[in-house]
Amino acid sequence: MSSCCTPEGTCSTNAGESTTATAVVDSTATVYRVSGMTCGHCKTAITKSVSALDGVLSVDVDVDGGLVTVTTAGDPDDAAITVAVDDAGYELTSRV
């Protein structure tokens, strides 16, 4: 697992925070526990990677809580979300 952050929790970048939001009537919000997040860059990397998936309407990353809420049109594709989080350099450990 790679990260821009040091073991001390400092960040080597100062990337801004980003979320994507779209209102849809038939949507499902699913919360995942993700390890390795420590800063705004982590939030941006996960948001960008997961938001690129088909059916994902919004991504909300709670770095301090270690949680990622993914809102999808219909049921979420847990396997695809897991791969997207992994591709961003973090580990999806469970659904909450």
Side-chain angles (χ1 to χ4, degrees), residues 59-80:
V59 179
D60 181 49
V61 179
D62 175 3
V63 172
D64 293 333
L67 303 174
V68 176
T69 303
V70 180
T71 303
T72 54
D75 292 330
D77 182 344
D78 290 338

Side-chain angles (χ1 to χ4, degrees), residues 50-56 72 77:
V50 176
S51 293
L53 297 173
D54 287 340
V56 172
T72 54
D77 182 344

Side-chain angles (χ1 to χ4, degrees), residues 11-36:
C11 182
S12 63
T13 65
N14 290 322
E17 297 180 8
S18 172
T19 54
T20 305
T22 305
V24 173
V25 174
D26 296 326
S27 62
T28 302
T30 308
V31 181
Y32 300 93
R33 186 163 308 282
V34 175
S35 66

